[in-house]
Amino acid sequence: MKLITAVIQPHKLDDVKSALEAAGVRGMTVSEASGYGRQKGHTEVYRGAEYTVDLVPKVRVEVLVEDGDATTLAGVVVNAAQSGKIGDGKVWVSPVEDVIRVRTGASGPDAL
Amino acid sequence: MEELNYGATAWMLTSASLVLLMTPGLALFYGGMTRSKSVLNMMMMSFGAMGVIGVIYVLWGWSMSYGADVGGIFGNPFDQFGLVGTIYDESGEFIIDGFGVPAIVGVAFQVTFAIITTALISGAIADRTKFSSWMVFVALWVTLAYFPMAHMVWGGGLLSGDGPFAGIAAPIDFAGGTVVHINAGVAGLVLALIIGKRKGFGTDPMRPHNLPLVMLGAALLWFGWFGFNAGSAFTADGTAGLAWVNTTSATAAAMLGWLLTERIKYGKGTSLGAASGVVAGLVAITPAAGALNPVTSIALGAIAGVLCALAVGLKHKLGYDDSLDVVGVHLVGGLVGTVLIGVFATDGGLIFGGGFNQLAVQIIIAVVAIVFSGVITAVIGLAIKATMGWRVPEEDEVRGIDLAEHAETAYEEINS
């Protein structure tokens, strides 16, 4: 099993959700995140005092998938999250040793 | 005896209530501008001023402002201590003033001015001041600086139409340019210098934690200011209406002036700039609200908006930490309003052929107000520094003054 983690632009969340659902994904975890990549942050002005804000708001989407689906689904996320502008985010795939469904105690692929 | 004027009385009670609302409005305005770890303390400084002055005013505040004159500087605190002799006449009837309004309603109106003026100062010393020291300062400052200034300007003292400068031209301070804004602005500057900078000032970002609160506070201030300025006609008449319209036209122009200045300097007009421009305009029109016409009010407001927007940057250049710009908004705005009356006043202003006399008198009362407020505030501020001290320990300042001073936090997680 794999964990796909995507840190994306907040306004792309709906597109990513729809694309993953259309690709057969039945569950995901979404959380607010903040950070920066190569684009760095932005400048805010308060009564003439300028502040550089490094950490910009992002959304993190996490999806547990079977090994064989990981590459395809990561591609689905990338396509859906892409605006072509700087700050679109990152998607990465990591191995997962085991998954257990809390309600039934089932583990492995059955728990996905 | 004057006959009771129900319309005037109703308006003055309404005005007093409107002005009282300004202080909780100020708490929101200031609270939103602080960091999230300091918002409760900021708001408590306003509420604390309401507590202390609400008590002091009826004991000796009214008497020191409007009681028997002592040397043109202040009223005798024992003349009407506890409002004795203020409420009823010898026959037990309510005393009615020249506008047909009971004198006790005048007390209600005036106490609200003392409260908001003192609360204004707290913006200069946000985030680092012991609450106990603030409460002691409030009691001393309102007694030694505010009541005398109110007496000098409005109570028949040195800076009033009965004072020595009236020989040049009668000084004009309709609703409190000297008494309220220059007074509070100078006090803010002096305290900021005595107390010193917040830890991290100039290096750490200290952005306002909640701009919607700031906007809400500015809106409540504008609403309450109608009582402040239109109520300063002391009756419900054309002067009150003129003050209302002038207040709005000047404030609108000041907001536009501030936004335009930001747009030119930084490329964007900000919400904090709009809220600040509103307050700058309200401040500037305060002394002038009854003396200008709506068109010259627009000019006055626009000038105040631009100058205050430029003035708030001074603290970064000069290195003093007036946290929420009491100096840039209230001192500068108060000076603009007080001095430009000499230019724009319909009766006696420079551009209406009145010559330089009014302008000269307006400058004189502004300078006297600056010196008086500066000296008194410095004496009180240094005395508190030498005795109980002003500042919370550095670790409390870093951890958050809300938790240290009030054992509370505004939000579940502390994000400075």
Side-chain angles (χ1 to χ4, degrees), chain A:
Chain A
M1 287 156 294
K2 304 281 190 197
L3 173 67
I4 299 176
T5 305
V7 174
I8 60 171
Q9 298 273 36
H11 70 270
K12 282 291 185 182
L13 176 61
D14 281 345
D15 292 346
V16 169
K17 265 172 64 185
S18 306
L20 284 172
E21 279 163 17
V25 170
R26 284 169 295 175
M28 67 187 70
T29 304
V30 176
S31 48
E32 291 179 8
S34 56
Y36 64 88
R38 288 187 199 172
Q39 90 280 11
K40 287 291 184 183
H42 59 262
T43 303
E44 298 180 4
V45 181
Y46 298 99
R47 281 185 175 167
E50 293 190 31
Y51 299 120
T52 302
V53 178
D54 283 335
L55 302 175
V56 292
K58 299 284 173 189
V59 165
R60 177 167 51 213
V61 181
E62 289 164 305
V63 192
L64 285 162
V65 300
E66 291 197 49
D67 288 342
D69 298 335
T71 310
T72 312
L73 290 174
V76 166
V77 173
V78 169
N79 280 336
Q82 203 168 62
S83 74
K85 292 186 189 142
I86 208 154
D88 269 355
K90 295 270 190 298
V91 178
W92 61 92
V93 179
S94 18
V96 174
E97 280 192 15
D98 200 3
V99 179
I100 303 157
R101 186 187 299 277
V102 173
R103 176 169 56 85
T104 60
S107 64
D110 292 343
L112 292 180

Side-chain angles (χ1 to χ4, degrees), chain B residues 22 116-117 120 173 175-187 225 228-229 279 282-284 286-287 326-327 329-335 338:
Chain B
M22 289 170 71
I116 181 77
T117 304
L120 286 174
D173 187 354
T178 50
V179 181
V180 177
H181 298 292
I182 293 177
N183 205 358
V186 170
W225 225 290
F228 205 89
N229 286 358
V279 177
L282 291 165
V283 167
T286 291
V326 180
V327 179
V329 175
H330 293 278
L331 178 56
V332 173
L335 282 171
T338 299

Side-chain angles (χ1 to χ4, degrees), chain B residues 25-230:
Chain B
L26 182 77
L28 292 168
F29 181 68
Y30 277 174
M33 270 192 278
T34 59
R35 291 169 289 177
S36 58
K37 63 184 179 182
S38 311
V39 52
L40 294 177
N41 176 257
M42 193 69 252
M43 292 182 156
M44 279 297 287
M45 288 207 270
S46 284
F47 277 77
M50 296 177 92
V52 172
I53 299 166
V55 171
I56 282 181
Y57 200 84
V58 301
L59 294 179
W60 63 82
W62 171 262
S63 191
M64 280 190 73
S65 304
Y66 297 99
D69 182 75
V70 179
I73 308 285
F74 60 91
N76 179 351
F78 306 107
D79 182 42
Q80 296 174 59
F81 186 90
L83 301 181
V84 172
T86 309
I87 306 172
Y88 306 107
D89 60 18
E90 294 83 10
S91 58
E93 299 292 327
F94 280 104
I95 296 170
I96 309 291
D97 71 15
F99 291 105
V101 178
I104 189 66
V105 176
V107 175
F109 187 59
Q110 293 298 339
V111 63
T112 61
F113 278 62
I115 290 170
I116 181 77
T117 304
T118 314
L120 286 174
I121 303 167
S122 63
I125 58 173
D127 282 9
R128 57 202 188 279
T129 306
K130 286 202 285 191
F131 187 61
S132 53
S133 301
W134 166 250
M135 295 293 266
V136 170
F137 173 81
V138 167
L140 293 173
W141 190 85
V142 80
T143 299
L144 302 175
Y146 181 84
F147 299 150
M149 191 84 89
H151 180 78
M152 280 193 275
V153 176
W154 296 326
L158 284 178
L159 304 180
S160 72
D162 301 324
F165 305 122
I168 310 169
I172 297 174
D173 187 354
F174 188 71
T178 50
V179 181
V180 177
H181 298 292
I182 293 177
N183 205 358
V186 170
L189 176 60
V190 170
L191 283 195
L193 291 171
I194 290 175
I195 295 173
K197 301 172 203 172
R198 284 167 292 179
K199 186 175 166 52
F201 175 73
T203 52
D204 297 353
M206 296 178 180
R207 64 181 293 274
H209 91 284
N210 191 330
L211 288 170
L213 277 191
V214 175
M215 299 297 271
L216 177 61
L220 286 174
L221 283 169
W222 194 338
F223 181 60
W225 225 290
F226 290 130
F228 205 89
N229 286 358

